[in-house]
């Protein structure tokens, strides 16, 4: 069953433009048999509705794809351009607490009424397109661009949801396209090799326009695709990069370009200099249309927050929140935990989706967790705690317990942990979001 061909039980009445946002979100979920979790790659549906809306983005548009690092790179770009005085529209996914987080103007989530008006515009165009059945993500993407047009954004940043070539975001032609990293994830949709995934990620590149890749070892398929279409390819380590120490770093680009004396980014983790450097490389390539001062760059790197990306909360025991949910991301998490230094015991609160490579994702923490607090998650794609336990019990080390919710798992860990212990929450946006809510964070 596909969104383009069927609707379970027929569509409910369309909400009015001034209806509560919750009613609109329920409408979005009802359009696809799998609701918010519905994935159906392809551009035909989005392009059809986009054309009726007349959505031509006239300002510079940056598309950011990749397996990991997309959200951080978007956050750097968003902050840098905001501090430079531009009106910035930024669209990312998924959200942690509120849907509004996905669509931001000048680093602020848009309000319910603004989103509802945009949803109403998209719904009207969808009906005019023969009641085209959009997925939740497709509808949200169209609405975000509608918000940015209405507010006359001067630069738009769009984060790819899944893959690139057939993702809804790719319905918009990027003036500058970034691929942050290429690793195995979503293999049932993108392929089970880095070569296959590289082609999908490279699908956001455009002929004659800047195309950047921050993966230290990009697959040849990505490079070959960029060359075949005539994109202006910039590779980490060849065309741009960074060097530095624990106190400051230097960005370098083509033709001897140097931007030195930069404070280390506000976001923690070894991968963040890669993410920051590709954001700076994009800024340099767009400088003719979007001039930037070094003051804006410096502020943008250090004056930003992105919850759930190796977020270390103040206090004792140490609490780390990280949305890592695939082998590459959990490998980075393991390295970053090692950099934190000594702790007596590590408690891991883990909830994951069943379609992830669970064994490979947990492997980087083998022998590094004393107590696994495994949790069920809600939704049709969720893995059960019992299913996670079968992987933990297969040689990862440490004891484990199973819980019905992330909140219950975290509460138990918090009661067991002493001041010199740490609690690491990871595995899914849903897992981190639930713990944030339990801690009254993010609102």
């Amino acid at each position: 069953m596909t969104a383009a061909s069927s609707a379970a039980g027929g569509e409910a009445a369309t909400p009015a433009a001034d209806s509560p946002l919750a009613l609109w979100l329920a409408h979005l979920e009802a359009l696809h048999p799998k609701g918010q979790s519905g994935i159906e790659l392809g551009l035909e549906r989005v392009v059809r509705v986009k054309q009726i809306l007349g959505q031509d983005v006239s300002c510079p548009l940056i598309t950011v794809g990749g397996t990991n690092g997309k959200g951080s790179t978007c956050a750097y770009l968003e902050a840098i351009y905001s501090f430079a005085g531009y009106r910035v529209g930024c669209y990312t996914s998924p959200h942690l607490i509120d849907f509004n987080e996905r669509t931001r103007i000048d680093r602020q989530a848009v309000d319910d009424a603004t989103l509802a008006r945009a949803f109403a515009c998209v719904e009207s165009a969808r009906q005019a397109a023969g009641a085209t059945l959009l997925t939740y993500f497709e509808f949200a993407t169209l609405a975000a661009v509608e918000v940015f047009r209405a507010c006359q954004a001067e630069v738009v940043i769009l984060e790819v949801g899944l893959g690139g070539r057939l993702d809804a975001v790719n319905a918009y032609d990027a003036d500058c396209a970034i691929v942050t990293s290429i690793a195995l994830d979503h293999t049932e949709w993108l392929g089970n090799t880095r070569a296959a995934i590289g082609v999908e990620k490279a699908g956001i590149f455009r002929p004659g326009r800047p195309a950047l890749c921050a993966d230290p070892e990009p697959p040849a398929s990505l490079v070959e695709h960029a060359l075949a279409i005539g994109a202006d390819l910039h590779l980490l380590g060849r065309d741009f990069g960074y060097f530095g120490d624990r106190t400051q770093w230097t960005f370098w680009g083509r033709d001897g370009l140097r931007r030195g004396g930069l404070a280390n980014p506000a976001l923690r983790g070894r991968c963040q200099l890669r993410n920051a450097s590709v954001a700076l490389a994009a800024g340099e390539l767009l400088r003719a249309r979007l001039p930037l001062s070094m003051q804006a760059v410096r502020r943008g790197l250090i004056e930003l927050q992105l919850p759930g990306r190796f977020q270390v909360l103040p206090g004792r025991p140490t609490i780390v929140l990280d949305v890592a949910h695939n082998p590459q991301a959990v490998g980075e998490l393991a390295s970053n935990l090692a950099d934190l230094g000594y702790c007596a015991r590590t408690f891991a609160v883990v909830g994951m989706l069943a379609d992830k490579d669970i064994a490979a994702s947990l492997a980087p923490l083998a022998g590094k967790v004393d107590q696994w607090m495994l949790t069920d998650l809600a939704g049709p794609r969720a893995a059960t705690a019992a299913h996670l336990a079968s992987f933990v019990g297969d040689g990862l080390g440490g004891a484990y317990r199973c819980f019905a919710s992330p909140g219950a798992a975290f509460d138990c860990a918090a009661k067991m942990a002493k001041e010199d212990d740490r609690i690491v929450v990871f595995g899914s946006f849903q897992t981190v979001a639930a713990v944030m809510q339990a801690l009254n964070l993010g609102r």
Side-chain angles (χ1 to χ4, degrees):
M1 181 180 291
T2 66
S5 60
S6 62
E11 293 186 28
T14 300
D18 59 354
S19 295
L21 182 60
L23 196 60
W24 271 109
L25 294 179
H27 178 68
L28 267 63
E29 292 203 30
L31 291 179
H32 194 281
K34 292 185 179 179
Q36 188 177 150
S37 300
I39 295 173
E40 188 169 351
L41 298 179
L43 300 180
E44 180 183 349
R45 297 176 303 279
V46 175
V47 169
R48 189 183 308 144
V49 178
K50 172 179 174 281
Q51 288 173 340
I52 292 174
L53 285 165
Q55 280 189 346
D56 293 321
V57 180
S58 58
C59 68
L61 188 152
I62 304 170
T63 300
V64 181
T67 306
N68 298 301
K70 299 190 297 290
S72 299
T73 302
C74 287
Y76 290 125
L77 289 165
E78 181 184 23
I80 288 168
Y81 282 118
S82 291
F83 285 123
Y86 295 105
R87 191 157 178 76
V88 183
C90 188
Y91 172 66
T92 60
S93 64
H95 59 277
L96 277 170
I97 307 298
D98 295 316
F99 179 90
N100 310 58
E101 298 167 24
R102 297 183 179 219
T103 306
R104 301 186 295 278
I105 299 293
D106 296 336
R107 304 174 68 202
Q108 298 297 316
V110 299
D111 58 76
D112 289 5
T114 298
L115 279 173
R117 287 193 296 271
F119 286 152
C121 291
V122 174
E123 177 63 16
S124 178
R126 187 185 76 82
Q127 294 291 348
T132 298
L133 297 176
L134 301 170
T135 67
Y136 186 96
F137 181 78
E138 290 168 345
F139 204 118
T141 302
L142 289 159
V145 175
E146 200 64 17
V147 170
F148 301 150
R149 287 204 311 161
C151 79
Q152 298 182 316
E154 295 170 301
V155 54
V156 168
I157 303 160
L158 302 179
E159 180 188 349
V160 171
L162 193 158
R165 183 175 64 92
L166 298 176
D167 185 84
V169 162
N170 203 34
Y172 303 92
D173 289 326
D175 295 284
C176 179
I178 297 171
V179 173
T180 56
S181 64
I182 303 97
L184 299 184
D185 198 11
H186 301 296
T187 53
E188 61 271 47
W189 290 287
L190 305 179
N192 56 12
T193 66
R194 290 184 78 237
I197 294 172
V199 171
E200 296 299 322
K201 303 292 186 188
I204 65 175
F205 295 162
R206 294 295 189 269
R209 298 184 180 181
L212 297 90
C213 181
D215 193 298
E217 298 180 356
S221 59
L222 178 141
V223 176
E224 290 165 0
H225 177 80
L227 294 175
I229 67 170
D232 178 19
L233 182 63
H234 293 247
L235 297 177
L236 177 70
R238 187 190 76 177
D239 304 290
F240 70 94
Y242 60 91
F243 58 87
D245 53 34
R246 290 183 175 272
T247 58
Q248 63 180 20
W249 65 290
T250 296
F251 166 81
W252 61 266
R254 287 180 179 174
D255 302 321
L257 175 67
R258 292 288 188 274
R259 305 291 187 197
L262 301 171
N264 284 321
L267 302 181
R268 303 175 67 154
R270 297 182 183 181
C271 64
Q272 290 305 330
L273 283 180
R274 292 200 303 272
N275 298 332
S277 67
V278 76
L280 264 61
E284 293 294 339
L285 290 166
L286 292 173
R287 187 175 285 274
R289 296 179 66 185
L290 297 168
L292 288 172
S293 68
M294 282 309 296
Q295 181 184 12
V297 170
R298 293 178 192 279
R299 291 190 65 188
L301 291 173
I302 64 174
E303 294 186 38
L304 81 163
Q305 294 182 337
L306 189 62
R309 274 69 169 189
F310 200 69
Q311 180 182 5
V312 182
L313 303 183
R316 295 289 179 184
T318 300
I319 298 172
V320 179
L321 307 178
D322 199 305
V323 295
H325 56 270
N326 56 50
Q328 183 188 53
V330 180
E332 292 278 359
L333 170 61
S335 297
N336 294 335
L337 288 173
D339 290 343
L340 282 183
Y342 170 80
C343 78
R345 294 180 299 169
T346 296
F347 294 79
V349 176
V350 187
M352 296 189 68
L353 300 182
D355 53 26
K356 300 298 179 182
D357 187 342
I358 295 173
S361 295
L362 298 181
L365 289 172
K368 301 173 183 177
V369 174
D370 299 282
Q371 181 73 54
W372 299 85
M373 319 300 277
L374 308 173
T375 175
D376 295 342
L377 295 178
R381 293 173 60 198
T384 63
H387 184 56
L388 296 178
S390 66
F391 295 96
V392 171
D394 190 24
L396 289 184
Y400 68 83
R401 299 187 182 194
C402 294
F403 299 87
S405 70
F410 179 81
D411 184 61
C412 183
K415 290 177 180 175
M416 293 176 65
K418 294 181 169 41
E419 281 196 0
D420 55 355
D421 295 332
R422 68 182 170 209
I423 303 171
V424 184
V425 182
F426 75 99
S428 168
F429 276 79
Q430 191 175 342
T431 307
V432 172
V435 170
M436 287 179 66
Q437 289 176 305
L439 293 170
N440 293 316
L441 300 174
R443 289 188 183 276

